[in-house]
Amino acid sequence: MKLPRESGILLHPTSLPGGQGIGDLGDPSLRFVDKLREIGQHIWQVLPVGPTGYGDSPYQSESTFAGNPLLISVDCLVDLGLLGAAELDGVSVAATDRVDFGAVISVKFQLLGLVTSRFSDRAGPELKAQFDEFCDRHNRVWLDDYAMYVALKTAHGNQPWYRWDSDLVRRDAAALRRAHADLANEIDSVRVIQFLFDLQWHELRRRCESQAVRLVGDVPIYIAHDSADAWAEQALLELDDDGLPTSVSGVPPDYFSATGQRWGNPLYRWNRMAETGYAWWKKRMLRMTELFDLVRVDHFRGFESYWQIPADEPTAVAGRWVPGPGEQFFRELISDLGELPIIAEDLGVITPEVEALRDRFDFPGMRVLQFAFGNDPMAESYRPENYIENCVCYTGTHDNDTTVGWFRSAEGEGTTRKTAEIEAERRTVLDFLGTDGQEIHWDLIGAALDSKANSVIFPMQDLLGLGSEARMNTPGTATGNWCWRFRWPDLTDEAVGRLRHLAESAGRIHR
């Protein structure tokens, strides 16, 4: 897949201004799409948009198919006549520069509960017909299991599915029929909420299309253990009879970590998936292409080989490399779905075999400018002069510090690295960019836009020139992540004009 020469912004919808204490799919998103067109940007990349669980991480979702109810605009529900404007009084969440997920969850689900309880009474014939179509389309392949999972989890005091009654853990048919009868109203409520998300999401997609903006999603290679997907597809995962993992995901020790990273997601039984023609993955990617124009597939290297860690090991040290599904996997998907609109997340230590798999299908890989200046053995590959055209260049990702925060750490602020190492990296950055570092975010944005990379994406925080206080995520920390928001006045006319000029000069504005 060859990408056009263009650029865009990485911003999760939760970080938008407006809404009930959180960005949503209503006016904040539509206004942002219009702003992207004004700035001359053709890409909006988001993080996974599935429903989040403990820790509020988009990367630990209760479903890889469903949408996050917190993103639903309640103002749009008022416009549909499903809520009264007066019902929003006294239950709003104050607009701040951080998402208070606890308060947002309380208010959003209180309002959504009102909507679902009277949907059949207040929804007009056209809306009801759209709802029936949503439930009866191929969404049924995931919606029924997800709705049952949410209803059962609530009934079990939010305990993970592998701690439910054993007959429900095993998905005994009689037990599921009884649960469906007992929880019919709760199950219908989940379906209505997912329909409303879908309705608003496709309105957003139409606005993007009209403004020549492509939506880029994010697909983690693995699914959360406590998810509707894992509960429904236990036979496809390395789980024991009680639903507990026998081995889990991660990456081995490397330059950055002496003990590696133990992610803890259950691994796939790729041989069983192959026996079905990778049917579950086909359903997953079909859903992603309904939601997005392109998807970034996280940890792409796991399709070539993956690090298998025994579930009882506390770190990733004792893992081993196991062959992944490789070329056969992608050929099977392409045979049913056609060309796959994939960006391969190929960061870190990548083998020639992984590169060959990526290139065999012309999947663009990723380059991150912040990685180009340190002592990492891979640093040279992230230098712009070494890019190929068919790649996506980022100044940083959601897991990186902001560019300003990163550069300040290179100056010695908040770092434990040795002074000589810090100074060497700082000199490398300044010499390479030919700058004094006073506007380091613009320096990196300019270098990215001028590079050969067909697509360039930078976090909103870099466009705004914000420091570490605006960081979206700090890997390895359990709290304080995913909360950052900006305000419309932060996006000044000066920044808008400057970015448009740089993008136009680099030949990245079309239509």
Side-chain angles (χ1 to χ4, degrees):
M1 179 187 63
K2 301 296 184 183
L3 300 173
R5 187 169 175 83
E6 57 189 11
S7 58
I9 292 177
L10 168 60
L11 179 77
H12 200 46
T14 58
S15 297
L16 286 163
Q20 294 287 326
I22 191 171
D24 62 40
L25 300 180
D27 181 70
S29 287
L30 300 179
R31 182 178 175 184
F32 184 65
V33 173
D34 294 343
K35 181 62 70 172
L36 286 171
R37 177 61 181 264
E38 178 186 341
I39 306 174
Q41 302 304 295
H42 295 283
I43 299 171
W44 180 8
Q45 181 170 335
V46 301
L47 306 183
V49 296
T52 54
Y54 177 77
D56 307 306
S57 170
Y59 292 89
Q60 290 294 325
S61 177
E62 294 180 340
S63 170
T64 191
F65 297 91
N68 189 347
L70 301 183
L71 294 178
I72 294 174
S73 165
V74 295
D75 292 325
C76 290
L77 301 183
V78 172
D79 294 339
L80 286 172
L82 300 176
L83 278 176
E87 291 176 308
L88 302 187
D89 296 339
V91 293
S92 62
V93 180
T96 66
D97 59 0
R98 306 285 290 177
V99 178
D100 181 347
F101 281 102
V104 169
I105 290 169
S106 176
V107 166
K108 274 287 175 81
F109 279 98
Q110 177 183 343
L111 295 171
L112 290 173
L114 287 175
V115 170
T116 59
S117 67
R118 59 200 185 195
F119 181 78
S120 61
D121 296 326
R122 289 205 175 186
E126 182 179 353
L127 195 62
K128 286 181 179 177
Q130 290 176 304
F131 172 65
D132 290 340
E133 181 187 1
F134 171 77
C135 293
D136 290 339
R137 282 198 327 248
H138 51 261
N139 293 310
R140 186 175 296 280
V141 301
W142 63 267
L143 183 59
D144 289 351
D145 281 322
Y146 174 68
M148 176 71 83
Y149 164 87
V150 173
L152 282 169
K153 186 168 184 178
T154 302
H156 284 81
N158 286 321
Q159 289 293 305
W161 64 265
Y162 44 87
R163 293 179 183 163
W164 299 347
D165 300 337
S166 60
D167 55 353
L168 292 172
V169 170
R170 296 192 309 270
R171 295 177 59 86
D172 175 77
L176 291 181
R177 283 195 297 271
R178 289 192 299 271
H180 193 280
D182 293 341
L183 300 171
N185 290 335
E186 291 82 353
I187 290 169
D188 284 344
S189 293
V190 178
R191 290 194 180 109
V192 169
I193 289 172
Q194 286 304 305
F195 163 67
L196 295 172
F197 174 92
D198 200 72
L199 198 68
Q200 294 185 9
W201 185 269
H202 281 89
E203 179 61 30
L204 172 62
R205 287 215 66 177
R206 285 188 288 272
R207 180 65 67 89
C208 287
E209 184 177 2
S210 72
Q211 298 288 43
V213 171
R214 294 201 291 171
L215 271 172
V216 179
D218 196 316
V219 178
I221 185 173
Y222 298 119
I223 57 177
H225 183 202
D226 184 20
S227 66
D229 313 303
W231 177 58
E233 303 290 354
Q234 296 174 54
L236 300 180
L237 302 170
E238 294 188 8
L239 303 174
D240 63 20
D241 291 341
D242 296 320
L244 300 177
T246 56
S247 57
V248 296
S249 63
V251 290
D254 59 13
Y255 174 81
F256 300 101
S257 172
T259 58
Q261 298 177 41
R262 185 189 185 281
W263 298 334
N265 308 74
L267 294 170
Y268 299 118
R269 287 182 169 134
W270 285 114
N271 58 334
R272 293 193 182 179
M273 286 191 159
E275 292 168 0
T276 69
Y278 302 102
W280 180 83
W281 267 96
K282 289 175 181 177
K283 291 187 294 185
R284 187 185 196 191
M285 292 306 296
L286 178 62
R287 175 65 172 163
M288 292 302 103
T289 57
E290 290 178 342
L291 296 176
F292 304 106
D293 299 296
L294 293 165
V295 289
R296 168 191 179 269
V297 176
D298 200 27
H299 196 57
F300 177 83
R301 75 145 302 140
F303 293 108
E304 193 281 323
S305 59
Y306 58 93
W307 193 245
Q308 183 187 66
I309 307 166
D312 57 359
E313 287 290 333
T315 72
V317 172
R320 67 186 183 104
W321 286 112
V322 178
E327 184 175 338
Q328 176 199 11
F329 171 78
F330 292 107
R331 294 206 182 281
E332 281 279 359
L333 266 61
I334 290 170
S335 70
D336 275 15
L337 305 179
E339 183 181 55
L340 297 176
I342 284 176
I343 298 170
E345 187 275 290
D346 55 353
L347 305 176
V349 180
I350 300 299
T351 66
E353 291 79 11
V354 177
E355 293 176 344
L357 180 64
R358 176 199 65 200
D359 295 343
R360 192 167 297 127
F361 298 97
D362 282 332
F363 297 144
M366 291 176 57
R367 304 292 184 271
V368 179
L369 270 176
Q370 286 187 23
F371 296 166
F373 306 105
N375 292 329
D376 176 3
M378 300 293 293
E380 282 295 319
S381 65
Y382 295 110
R383 294 286 186 94
E385 65 268 25
N386 296 321
Y387 294 173
I388 60 172
E389 289 184 356
N390 195 35
C391 73
V392 184
C393 171
Y394 295 79
T395 52
T397 73
H398 65 278
D399 281 335
N400 294 116
D401 201 346
T402 68
T403 289
V404 170
W406 161 78
F407 187 69
R408 287 175 178 168
S409 74
E411 294 176 311
E413 295 183 15
T415 183
T416 59
R417 293 182 298 157
K418 296 179 180 178
T419 302
E421 181 183 347
I422 295 167
E423 288 303 319
E425 181 173 344
R426 175 177 164 76
R427 284 195 302 272
T428 301
V429 173
L430 296 176
D431 291 346
F432 179 84
L433 296 173
T435 180
D436 61 6
Q438 294 301 307
E439 292 186 309
I440 192 64
H441 55 299
W442 284 113
D443 294 328
L444 255 66
I445 289 172
L449 290 170
D450 288 339
S451 74
K452 290 188 296 184
N454 278 345
S455 293
V456 169
I457 300 173
F458 32 84
M460 186 66 166
Q461 295 93 319
D462 285 357
L463 174 58
L464 302 181
L466 302 178
S468 299
E469 74 283 352
R471 184 168 183 163
M472 193 63 170
N473 180 49
T474 303
T477 61
T479 59
N481 297 313
W482 320 112
C483 302
W484 175 77
R485 303 179 73 195
F486 82 96
R487 302 172 188 265
W488 291 118
D490 298 337
L491 191 56
T492 63
D493 291 342
E494 179 186 1
V496 167
R498 189 167 181 178
L499 179 56
R500 184 175 181 90
H501 172 72
L502 290 173
E504 194 165 29
S505 298
R508 296 188 181 276
I509 299 179
H510 56 81
R511 201 176 122 186

